Amino acid sequence: REYGKGGKPKSKYDFMTIDEKQVEVDKIRTGIKQRCLFNDSACKEIEAKIEEVVRKAANGEYKKNTVDTAPLRNKYFFGEGYTYGSHMEARGPGMERLYPKEGEESVDPIPEWIHEMVVQPLLRAQLIPPDFINSAVINDYQPGGCIVSHIDPYHIFDRPIVTVSFFSSSALSFGCKFEFRPIRVSNPVLSVKLPRGGVTLISGFAADEITHCIRPQDTPHRRAVVILRR
Ligand code: PD2
Ligand code: MN
């Protein structure tokens, strides 16, 4: 294995010329759309609602599959839930599956405040078609929390994938290689800022042909994201 400065792993992009890398960057950029839709007061209201979700989960008010806790990142699934990672008997890309819509394994419905306070502004801005969103996931990251490089499973989720950031800003990185114990991340081909209150839509090459991640160093403060998908 090859390492760069500071023991960073190297990805295939570290072996490309500047021109070759620029071609990748241009393809990624065609699949990313960003808008600042939520001002400070809208963010504050939504952040209070996210706190309420956290409290309800801690109180045991949700179904078991609605809540997934991990040391630096909790996830709350609404509308549709799915198995992935550590929960699956058979792990890995393509093995994810949706939970049934009813019964023991189902998750809670999308809260009304998500429709009213988060989805409605996206509709008014004509960023998504009406009735498109049937899944809302909240990731709540502690400082240093991350999401390793992945492609949102295309057999489960349509494009675009929509994210809205709250509490603090972060960055979405593309084409990173992760190594663990200790955690080390290669340089991204492209990193886009995720401002608090900012909406990011990911589709095309950016969603399907290259992995994305949230690096631990890009979450210096508590941050939450609402991921809206179909
Ligand atoms: O935290 C995010 O902004 C983010 C972005 C893209 C999270 C995910 N993907 C994910 O959990 O899949
Ligand atoms: Mn993702």
Side-chain angles (χ1 to χ4, degrees):
R1 275 182 277 187
E2 304 215 29
Y3 295 96
K5 276 205 191 74
K8 262 186 198 168
K10 286 196 171 188
S11 77
K12 66 175 185 186
Y13 303 103
D14 289 308
F15 300 95
M16 286 185 177
T17 65
I18 290 171
D19 288 349
E20 286 167 342
K21 259 206 290 215
Q22 191 58 47
V23 170
E24 292 291 302
V25 169
D26 291 344
K27 286 191 285 191
I28 301 167
R29 284 201 189 281
T30 60
I32 299 175
K33 197 195 272 191
Q34 293 192 292
R35 294 282 184 283
C36 273
L37 271 199
F38 300 89
N39 62 20
D40 182 61
S41 83
C43 284
K44 284 200 171 90
E45 285 180 40
I46 294 164
E47 288 160 0
K49 290 293 187 183
I50 294 172
E51 294 290 28
E52 207 175 296
V53 168
V54 172
R55 185 192 55 74
K56 281 187 176 180
N59 246 343
E61 293 178 37
Y62 291 126
K63 296 180 178 183
K64 131 179 140 298
N65 284 338
T66 297
V67 184
D68 174 31
T69 59
L72 294 179
R73 177 236 70 199
N74 293 337
K75 281 172 99 81
Y76 306 94
F77 295 89
F78 298 104
E80 296 277 359
Y82 62 101
T83 59
Y84 59 93
S86 56
H87 294 256
M88 294 190 295
E89 300 93 64
R91 296 186 192 193
M95 298 306 294
E96 305 89 351
R97 66 169 182 89
L98 284 174
Y99 287 130
K101 288 198 207 314
E102 272 161 51
E104 177 79 339
E105 285 194 303
S106 67
V107 301
D108 286 86
I110 298 178
E112 206 45 52
W113 68 265
I114 291 188
H115 285 297
E116 285 168 13
M117 300 166 75
V118 190
V119 178
Q120 274 302 321
L122 300 172
L123 288 176
R124 279 196 297 271
Q126 299 192 354
L127 290 172
I128 45 165
D131 301 320
F132 179 75
I133 301 301
N134 63 5
S135 156
V137 178
I138 300 174
N139 288 359
D140 188 5
Y141 303 91
Q142 293 307 309
C146 69
I147 293 278
V148 301
S149 289
H150 66 280
I151 289 176
D152 289 30
Y154 18 64
H155 63 289
I156 292 192
F157 295 110
D158 287 352
R159 276 59 171 127
I161 294 146
V162 185
T163 73
V164 193
S165 296
F166 295 103
F167 292 107
S168 71
S169 302
S170 185
L172 182 66
S173 295
F174 290 88
C176 288
K177 191 165 128 189
F178 274 68
E179 283 182 9
F180 302 92
R181 279 177 279 217
I183 190 156
R184 288 184 292 198
V185 189
S186 71
N187 287 323
V189 204
L190 173 68
S191 190
V192 300
K193 201 172 181 238
L194 300 173
R196 173 176 176 245
V199 180
T200 301
L201 291 94
I202 311 161
S203 62
F205 188 92
D208 300 340
E209 307 289 338
I210 190 164
T211 61
H212 60 263
C213 69
I214 303 284
R215 301 182 300 171
Q217 63 262 48
D218 292 321
T219 305
H221 309 286
R222 188 256 181 115
R223 169 178 173 264
V225 66
V226 180
I227 306 171
L228 300 163
R229 291 176 287 206
R230 180 177 192 81

